[in-house]
Amino acid sequence: MPRPTKRTAPRMPLAVYVLGLSVFALGTSEFMIAGLLQPMARDLDVSIPQAGLLVSAFAIGMVVGAPVLAGATLRLPRRTTLVALLTVFGLGQVAGALAPTYEVLFVSRVISALACAGFWAVGAAVAVSLAPEGAKARAMSVMIGGLSVANVLGVPAGAFLGQQAGWRSAFWAVAALSAIGVAGVLTLVPRSGPPTGADRPVLRRELRIYRQGQVWLTVVLIALNAAATFCLFSYLSPLLTDTAGLDESWVPTVLALFGVGALLGTAIGGRVADGRLFGTMYTGIAATTAALALLALTAHIPAAAVALAVALGVTAFFTAPALNARMFEAAGAAPTLAGATNTSAFNIGNTIGPWVGGLVIGAGLGYKGVAWAAALLSAAAVGTTFAASRQYRRTAASRKAAGPPPEGAPARAAGPAA
């Protein structure tokens, strides 16, 4: 009797892992400022809220860069585009490491973010195109995994390195990772032109998604969820030291725990989101609101501050897969701009959150006030989820009443389970 052949998963090309490593560098640069606020503020002679705006500076570049570069690079060779964008990003890190003033550092963050947004737009398409059949989703998980690992390892490592060798050393480390990424892309990513024929995205057609109310509601929802998270996360380091009374040496550990929570939340949320998108969003955002409110009440207790920071990582990122899926559902047959719009919405929140937190601190309300402001933003996200759910149900009901589309008419994208 012949022995049954064992099925093995298709092997992922090394080029995809190189792209994941590059995303690790991008994600580390975007979020490591949270662990470097105090030494940067002291060295550049600025306030903590001003230093916090460096998070917003990166987010502004991502907001602008994602849709613009997603459209601008459609006709360019992909490997050349990846190398150019990653090189610009690396040079932005060098400029940040050498920045003599706060203003120069701010500009370097915006330029780095523009390159980061473009790399995301092209890199995701390249990763999927390089993956063998049956491994497309796994290729995307490698890309997203680079961002998750950046939260778990890169951000606390940047904070630790900044404490031991100065905050500029963290920028030099990211620049070195970028150089490794450039070498890897040149070596392993094959030469290829842009998509052609039926696979070629048409920008004019994809722009039609902005006529849909569900897309805009989803943009607001993603932005509010991100604003709530990063309003608090951007000032987590001084909250831990000034309000909870922990030593600065604790900051990298707590940031690492936040990252572990984020990784756990993403894994759980990804498993349950396919079945009930809106249910996952309600659960995650409501839990985030509760965690932020409890943190505002108990931030002076060190153990509570640490535990709730970890809980925030879990709840905020538990919602992320559902929010991503909802954008692609709402955008229908416009995947290029759906991904770019999702990135922009996230970074709109990442811009607003630190700015709101800075206003609260400037008003003398302290870091507990920042937690309250974040909780209010999260509560607004719960309300937006309710509005999006109602509109989705109304749209689904009207489509059901209208009956199936005529034969030959383009199919509508299926909606999520509510």
Side-chain angles (χ1 to χ4, degrees), residues 269-292:
R271 286 182 175 271
V272 302
D274 283 331
R276 300 189 68 84
L277 279 188
F278 282 110
T280 302
M281 288 187 275
Y282 274 126
T283 302
I285 298 173
T288 295
T289 306
L292 288 166

Side-chain angles (χ1 to χ4, degrees), residues 314 317 326 363 370 375 388:
V314 175
F317 285 84
R326 179 60 195 139
V370 172

Side-chain angles (χ1 to χ4, degrees), residues 339-354:
T341 303
N342 191 52
T343 300
S344 291
F346 172 80
N347 283 283
I348 287 171
N350 202 7
T351 302
I352 293 172

Side-chain angles (χ1 to χ4, degrees), residues 7 83 111 115 122 274 299 314 318 346:
R7 274 191 174 180
V83 169
I111 293 172
V122 180
D274 283 331
V314 175
F318 171 84
F346 172 80

Side-chain angles (χ1 to χ4, degrees), residues 214 217 221 278 326 383-393:
Q214 278 287 342
L217 272 175
L221 177 55
F278 282 110
R326 179 60 195 139
T384 306
T385 304
F386 177 74
S389 178
R390 287 197 64 180
Q391 186 180 31
Y392 167 73
R393 289 177 185 275

Side-chain angles (χ1 to χ4, degrees), residues 27-42:
T28 299
S29 178
E30 180 170 8
F31 300 122
M32 71 181 181
I33 299 298
L36 302 171
L37 280 184
Q38 289 134 307
M40 291 177 73
R42 288 192 295 264

Side-chain angles (χ1 to χ4, degrees), residues 33 37-38 40-42 45-57 102 106 231 234-235 238 242 351-367 370:
I33 299 298
L37 280 184
Q38 289 134 307
M40 291 177 73
R42 288 192 295 264
D45 195 25
V46 297
S47 67
I48 291 290
Q50 281 180 293
L53 286 177
L54 292 169
V55 178
S56 296
Y102 172 83
F106 191 97
C231 179
S234 299
Y235 300 99
D242 295 4
T351 302
I352 293 172
W355 174 70
V356 170
L359 289 179
V360 170
I361 296 168
L365 299 177
Y367 298 112
V370 172

